[in-house]
Amino acid sequence: MPQFSLIEDYSLDIILLTHCHLDHLGALPVIAERNPNAHILTSLPSKLLAPRMLYNSHAVMKRQRDELGIKEYPLYTSSQIDALEKRLSPMPFDKPRIFDDKGESLEITFYQAGHVAGASGCSLTYKHRKIFFTGDVLFEKQRVISGANFPEQPCDTLVMETTRGNTELTPNYSREDEIERLRTTIVHTLEHEGSVLIPVFALGRMQELLTFFHEWNKANKLPKVPIFCSGLGISLVDTFDEISRKTGLIHFRRKILHELGVKPFRKRLKAGETPDEKAIYLVSSGMMTENTPSYTTAAALLGNHHNTVCFVGYCDPDTPGGKLLASQQNDNFLFEALDYNCPIRAHIEQFDLSGHANREELLSFAQKLDPRAVVLTHGDPEARDWFFDELIAYSPKTKIINPPPGIAIDV
Ligand SMILES: [Zn+2]
Ligand SMILES: [Zn+2]
């Protein structure tokens, strides 16, 4: 939970939800209830996605309360989710909305941020001062959504994400080449009687990967094997279909599941078990969090050199996914939650298909906006440090703020 105690003396007038990944959405039912009169603004796709994500999170927390004895879970009730759903006020992209109060006015505009369906950057103008929040952003276009469409007029304060500040871009990098490398890795594994595990976020990555599979399938470039997907990702497919039909903001249709013959991931494999037939497991969580489908499937596949694990997104170093990426072939890998230890025989591959902008693009975006102050958010300390050094070197007069957690800052 965020440290809401720091803002308990204030009543909030407006809450902006940039997108529905849980690091942004997860505590919204709680703060919304504490501020019953606040306007809660988000994009239309996010309004449709938020309840699904929260209901899933609620179910996971209930299970964790029972299995792990975490007494404070769930952090909110299902009726709090319902109450929140009614209050989410959809904002179109690129159209300002003005809020007046006591003779003062605040103008808010949402802009498409790429990253994931519904993701938004927001600009706030108050007394001729303009603040721009990037939220999580990807400038490059994906199959399911377009890239960010941010304004490039100057602003006074820029609040910017820095997720990839510590990631150097590979020379001659191309997303299309990475997608093709992923395809050949999958095909090679299947042709050599192995199975493929791709740990993914249920929101965004899974639907993007399904779109690749669908393209390859149509072009006869993917062997026909069962594709297993975990529950939340499949249920989000319905919402993606609805968003696609209602808004045209994303390109995704439910029928892809049928055409690919996707099967729900129901029965978890036992540690060390060889699946009955070779298959593709496109399952969450993306970082192989303990006891998720990707974690238990890894425990089944890791000990066999025919199999491959393909990571397609960021893994925190402290998660099982991060630890597996840091290991070497033939090291022993401990699945702590299963009390199972096995040597790494499967191939471990990583593909750069990130949902976050690379650091050079974000840097040049910041330089174009030429703000008086930049506030760095959402990255590890090393990632924020890189942006701090680059921005200071480029524009010594700009105030660069690398805010410590829990401290109010003055811009
Ligand atoms: Zn995100
Ligand atoms: Zn995020």
Side-chain angles (χ1 to χ4, degrees), residues 19 21 23-24 115 136 163 356 378:
H19 66 287
H21 282 145
D23 52 325
H24 301 258
H115 182 59
D136 290 4
T163 310
H356 291 271
H378 203 281

Side-chain angles (χ1 to χ4, degrees), residues 230-363:
S230 43
L232 175 61
I234 290 187
S235 93
L236 289 171
V237 158
D238 290 339
T239 316
F240 270 59
D241 189 272
E242 186 185 353
I243 295 167
S244 184
R245 281 182 290 107
K246 280 189 178 161
T247 70
L249 287 169
I250 64 171
H251 315 285
F252 190 89
R253 285 297 154 96
R254 180 197 287 123
K255 63 174 195 233
I256 285 185
L257 287 187
H258 182 70
E259 288 176 28
L260 284 168
V262 166
K263 299 180 179 180
F265 177 88
R266 289 233 171 80
K267 190 177 135 268
R268 43 153 95 166
L269 299 165
K270 291 195 190 71
E273 176 185 351
T274 305
D276 294 340
E277 55 180 333
K278 59 188 178 183
I280 299 172
Y281 296 87
L282 181 66
V283 290
S284 57
S285 82
M287 301 194 194
M288 262 173 59
T289 307
E290 282 84 356
N291 289 328
T292 57
S294 62
Y295 184 82
T296 55
T297 306
L301 301 185
L302 205 59
N304 184 328
H305 70 275
H306 292 301
N307 302 326
T308 307
V309 182
C310 301
F311 287 95
V312 292
Y314 175 75
C315 283
D316 189 290
D318 292 333
T319 59
K323 287 178 191 160
L324 181 55
L325 278 168
S327 309
Q328 304 292 325
Q329 196 79 12
N330 298 320
D331 282 358
N332 269 321
F333 191 82
L334 174 63
F335 290 88
E336 262 181 73
L338 300 171
D339 202 14
Y340 172 67
N341 204 340
C342 90
I344 303 173
R345 301 271 192 249
H347 304 273
I348 311 298
E349 298 281 347
Q350 193 169 22
F351 300 87
D352 186 352
L353 296 170
S354 173
H356 291 271
N358 68 52
R359 60 189 192 178
E360 286 76 14
E361 288 172 309
L362 270 173
L363 192 62

Side-chain angles (χ1 to χ4, degrees), residues 156-208:
D156 297 287
T157 302
L158 170 65
V159 183
M160 184 169 78
E161 74 123 311
T162 58
T163 310
R164 279 163 66 87
N166 200 28
T167 310
E168 232 175 281
L169 199 62
T170 331
N172 304 321
Y173 168 81
S174 124
R175 187 172 281 261
E176 289 307 315
D177 289 350
E178 282 297 271
I179 295 169
E180 179 57 15
R181 189 167 71 85
L182 172 64
R183 190 190 69 81
T184 51
T185 304
I186 293 171
V187 170
H188 186 265
T189 304
L190 295 173
E191 282 176 350
H192 291 79
E193 302 314 311
S195 288
V196 180
L197 165 64
I198 311 176
V200 281
F201 281 136
L203 170 58
R205 247 24 8 218
M206 189 183 287
Q207 295 79 18
E208 182 76 5

Side-chain angles (χ1 to χ4, degrees), residues 28 43-44 92 112 115 190 231 271 284 313 315 329 349 368 379 382 389-390 403:
L28 186 58
S43 66
L44 180 57
Q112 176 137 315
H115 182 59
L190 295 173
S284 57
C315 283
Q329 196 79 12
E349 298 281 347
K368 264 184 229 155
E382 300 78 29
D389 294 344
E390 293 289 321

